[in-house]
Amino acid sequence: MAQNTLLHTNALVKRFGGLVAIDSLDLDVKERTIHSIIGPNGAGKTTVFNCIMNFFPITSGEIRLSGERLNDLTPDRVATRGIGRTYQNIRLFRNMSALENIMVGMHIHLKSSWWGAVLRTRRTLADEKAGQDEAVRLLQYVGLRGKGDILARNLPYGDQRRLEIARALAMKPKLLLLDEPTAGMNPSESQDMVTFIRGLRDELGITILLIEHHMPVVMGMSDIVTVLDHGVKISEGTPDHVKRDKKVIEAYLGTGVAHT
Amino acid sequence: MAFDVVASTFQHKAITKTAPRRAIEVGLMGFGLMIYFNLVGLIGQFMERFIIEGLATLAHTVFLGIAIGVGGLTSHRLLNETVTRRYLYSALAGLISGCSLAVLVFVIDHAQGAIFGAEFDVRFMFVALSPKLLDFLTFGTAPENAVFYHLIGGVVLGLFGALLYHLPNVLRRPLIGGLAAVWFIGLFSELIQLAMQFEVVDDFRNFFFTWEGQTEQGAVTVFVITFAIMAFVTHRGDAVMTGFRAMPSSGQKSARYALYLLAVVLFLLFPMAAGSFFGQVLMLVGLYALMGMGLNIEIGLAGLLDMGFVAFFATGAYTIALFTTSTEDVACVTPPCDYLIQIFDDRSLTWWEALPIAMIASLVMGVLFGIPVLKVRGDYLAVATLGLGEIIRVVVVSDMAAPMLGGSQGILAIPRPHLFGFEFSDPIQLFYLTLVSTIVAAYFAWALENSRLGRAWMAIREDEDVGQALGVNLINVKLLAYGLGAVFAGLAGAIFAAMLASIYPHSFQLLISINILALIIVGGIGSLPGVVVGSLMLIGTPELLREFGEFRFLAYGIVLVVMMRVKPLGLWPSSVRKRELQSVEEAEALIKQRTQGQKA
Amino acid sequence: MAILEINDIHVYYGNIRALHGISFSVEKGQIVTLIGANGAGKTTTLNAISGILAPRQGSVRVFDQDLARIMPHELVPQGVVQVPEGRRIFSRLTVDENLSMGAFTRKDKVAIAKDRERVLEMFPRLRERLTQIAGTLSGGEQQMLAMGRAIMSDPKILLLDEPSMGLAPILVDQVFESIQDIRKQGVTILLVEQNAYVALQIADYGYVLESGQIALKGPAKELIKNEEIRKAYLG
């Protein structure tokens, strides 16, 4: 399994005022792997995602995707390089239909211009049609067939999570950042999500960087697990290695029942 | 986000209150309304305006309406009570609202006097409480009797309201419909007569109207006819609809299209038949609808609150004015504009030639306008754009721009548009020009909304960060929203300049921006038909009520508040288009085709 | 005496029926948990109890009063407090101000200070962040703040919606320990939780919801051994 590195962060530092959110983080995400980031609440996990998307300027360090430096790109440019993401607290376009949500995800791949839309050129119409078909296919892929015309905010919670992933998939990303995809799901629903995420890696060849608190999910499917505490990497390795690491147990896992 | 505030509806919990408390609440509502209308002088004005000549004034109908409404509402709110008790409480509520007039009679009758030796005069504070009003409220009898009449009247009308509420549909609807028809025709009798200025209909017109109002025989006829029609519809309407549904679908379709066509033809002919007043009103409605569509792109689609929208309207109007008037009128010697003058010295452009320039100018203005506020979000954006809009207006009036833009003197003698030797000069002709522009603009707005750009706009309205993370270039998309939105206003401004033939800075007040914002909210944010409905409602209606002066803005305010209360999503809210289901089948066929191809 | 009594409630969203006929009662000092899949109606039940939604049929009785006669804002002073799912904190206020808002309807300054200390002991993380704007907290920290704010309003009945959501495993243990502490002080707790295993371990009684109805009920100790439940919810 000698894979190439897809995403690499080099001595990444992010400070908010006096608060150090991420301290000198080196992260190496290999192609076609599921790489998890775990850690106590407030350890800076979501901040890592925001840094990768460049939602705010990083304090120092470097982020590279397939060798290309992402530091100076705006988030929309980062997106065009092939990074899609979902959000911890589900951020769908709530007043748009499920289908429209996915079609916004295709924004960078659709080529039609606004004057093309007004003049109804053949190219625009064909482009729109192809996009729509693709969106319907994606809906089916995530198990939301027939729900495309429902407003996103009217979908049940689980469907919203799926739709958010479908929207990210519409970008045809190389790297998918998933922020707690099984939050609020019971164990059997979580298990379905695990199967689904594995499928993304195995069938679509997408590399996955995952933030998650459900230990069965993390341990069950990750190739590599990175543990953050107070913005510092305290452990990294295979799930088995991390699970037994004393520092991880002390700071994060605890000895109670929650990690069963 | 402004959009969320408007779009979200809350499910309120119903709180159980005791019946007497509810009746008293409703009664006090009526009481307050009546007192208020009297104190502000509304009744004073309305009592001179006949709905039915010599019989009922507008003021009478306001009193009757409130008291009957109070009775009906009380019954409606007490659905859990027995019928007898509902009547009883309705009478109580009616009595309370009737008290208001009794109190007023007493107060005006004792308007001047002395308490403990100190003299007072109620009219010093409340000018509207005139002896004339007292006369009106006492029906010419002694005040002591009038107090009594009002109390009895309140009870009777409250009971009547309850009766109306309890009547079966077959009777209630025609009754209310008939009364409403009489009222509306009486209210607009002057305008209707204006629209009937043909000799052939003179006798017909005189049967129904005098210039004072409706005639008695006219009112009776209107009531009977409306009653009959409504009774038929209520009683037999379902049967007619069943008959309609029983028709083959092609027949249904053609019947429906015939109906639409008839409506369109009537609408097209209406201003021509009704005269230039209506032409002008409809034209104004059209101009506001045009601007509404533009602002709808900014607010409804892209979620960019813009309170300076009038600036684009002004840009369109001023560009037309500059390019179509002869340069002799402009005394300009400073470098950039003397150069411009040289270019156009020989001849000024026609309206049609200047139109594209005006639209491009407003597009540029929109983009320039957008740049400084790119990073501003939400409520702050409203304030920032408000400031920008005002800056533009102030610049126009300023001495600096005066040599070119005419300062507060404005620009005069703007030529009318010509087309194939035909001149658009009177309001009716300009109305048709506006109508065509509005239809074209509506198509543009519709096409934009359903495009990739339209979806990107909606995405940044919903969540700017997420949209950006999906690859939407915020700068491009926002500037396009401002620019394209501004083009609609520029077009409206161009027509506006042609209509007035001269423009002044004071035509471009902040109030216009507010009006446009209000009309798209009332119509339903993000909805194209909503813009037209909102414009008819908020621009058309006040124009028709012009005779009531300042009081029409009271109606305007009431409409706004009531609309937001009962229809928070607007009169014609935008609906999500059904697109998935129709393409599911096609997509499935496609997948099947592909998999078969792979196998083969 | 049952301090909370739900009697055959039916709740609709528009025309969609979310709950059809749910009845149960909670005794003083109990922890009762509602478990079930997403969309089974757990949160809807909580919202009906806290007065956010009005049932179309059936009744909710709190402290032997009909909920329909209590205004939603009167519920908190009466001691019915909900910790909503999705961390509805005041994101523009500081952590400290959020906690103070929890005690908005209380007068007794000494008791408030005592509760504040209790919350900060329960969640030391919040003490570190007292002056931070709540919107900038991480997801898990916001969850702690929402719980803390609820405790500040001195609840008699605490409605908890997914308290473990987004929390690190070590914190899940802590939160559930503190839930037991809160109960020891006489607070009655109605707990909605996806992590059914943990919920059933601390609960006295459990109800399993399926598409708007109660599918199974029983003492938590028995439910946890139930084969069906193990398969469906315990993984």
Side-chain angles (χ1 to χ4, degrees), chain A residues 53 55 74-76 79 83 87 91 93-97 99-100 103-105 107-108 110 112 114 117-118 120 128-129 132-133 136-137 139-140 145-149 151 167 171, chain B residues 3-4 443-444 446-448 450-453 455-456 458-459 461-463 465-473 480 484 576-581 583-584 586-588 590-591 594:
Chain A
M53 292 309 295
F55 266 146
T74 52
D76 51 306
I83 303 183
Y87 301 82
R91 289 169 78 173
F93 305 126
R94 292 166 52 79
N95 293 304
M96 296 170 77
S97 72
L99 194 79
E100 283 174 327
M103 288 193 73
V104 174
H107 187 82
I108 52 178
L110 295 177
S112 55
W114 65 268
V118 169
R120 304 196 84 60
E128 279 285 298
K129 186 80 190 65
Q132 205 165 310
D133 291 343
V136 170
R137 217 180 52 74
L139 275 177
Q140 293 187 345
R145 183 169 180 268
K147 297 187 178 172
D149 292 324
L151 287 189
R167 184 180 67 184
M171 302 169 69
Chain B
F3 188 84
D4 278 333
Y443 166 74
F444 265 68
W446 173 81
L448 284 173
N450 291 295
S451 70
R452 170 173 171 264
L453 180 61
R455 285 191 301 269
M458 287 189 260
R461 172 191 76 200
E462 299 286 308
D463 194 326
D465 297 331
V466 176
Q468 199 180 17
L470 290 170
V472 174
N473 184 327
L480 272 173
L484 292 174
V576 178
R577 296 148 299 280
K578 299 262 171 220
R579 272 176 312 194
E580 189 210 348
L581 292 179
S583 55
V584 158
E586 293 170 40
E588 273 177 353
L590 202 77
I591 293 166
R594 273 191 205 150

Side-chain angles (χ1 to χ4, degrees), chain C residues 117 120-121 123-131:
Chain C
E117 202 46 43
L120 296 179
E121 257 164 48
F123 304 111
R125 200 52 187 251
L126 293 182
R127 194 191 294 273
E128 290 170 29
R129 312 249 146 144
L130 271 179
T131 55

Side-chain angles (χ1 to χ4, degrees), chain B residues 11-18 379-380, chain C residues 12 51-54 67-71:
Chain B
Q11 197 158 2
H12 282 287
K13 200 181 119 186
I15 301 300
T16 331
K17 287 183 202 155
T18 56
D379 313 342
Y380 305 105
Chain C
Y12 290 74
I52 296 172
L53 290 170
L67 189 72
R69 288 189 184 270
I70 309 176
M71 297 284 274

Side-chain angles (χ1 to χ4, degrees), chain B residues 80-206:
Chain B
N80 295 331
E81 302 289 327
T82 61
V83 176
T84 334
R85 299 189 64 170
R86 263 184 265 165
Y87 273 103
L88 220 63
Y89 284 125
S90 289
L92 172 66
L95 176 71
I96 294 173
S97 59
C99 276
S100 60
L101 296 184
V103 167
L104 276 174
V105 167
F106 181 80
V107 167
I108 306 176
D109 195 32
H110 298 81
Q112 283 149 313
I115 299 178
F116 305 125
E119 289 201 8
F120 71 93
D121 183 354
V122 176
R123 287 205 65 201
F124 182 72
M125 188 73 173
F126 299 103
V127 187
L129 301 181
S130 62
K132 225 172 148 192
L133 184 68
L134 182 65
D135 262 0
F136 177 75
L137 290 177
T138 53
F139 319 106
T141 62
E144 299 75 40
N145 296 343
V147 167
F148 185 64
Y149 293 150
H150 283 305
L151 296 182
I152 295 290
V155 171
V156 171
L157 289 171
L159 283 174
F160 182 64
L163 176 73
L164 263 185
Y165 184 77
H166 288 97
L167 279 180
N169 265 342
V170 190
L171 272 177
R172 187 183 58 200
R173 281 200 201 150
L175 208 58
I176 294 179
L179 290 175
V182 171
W183 188 73
F184 271 105
I185 288 183
L187 182 66
F188 292 116
S189 61
E190 207 172 318
L191 295 173
I192 296 172
Q193 288 182 81
L194 266 181
M196 290 174 34
Q197 290 305 307
F198 307 101
E199 258 179 60
V200 270
V201 293
D202 270 358
D203 289 339
F204 180 70
R205 194 184 71 222
N206 291 335

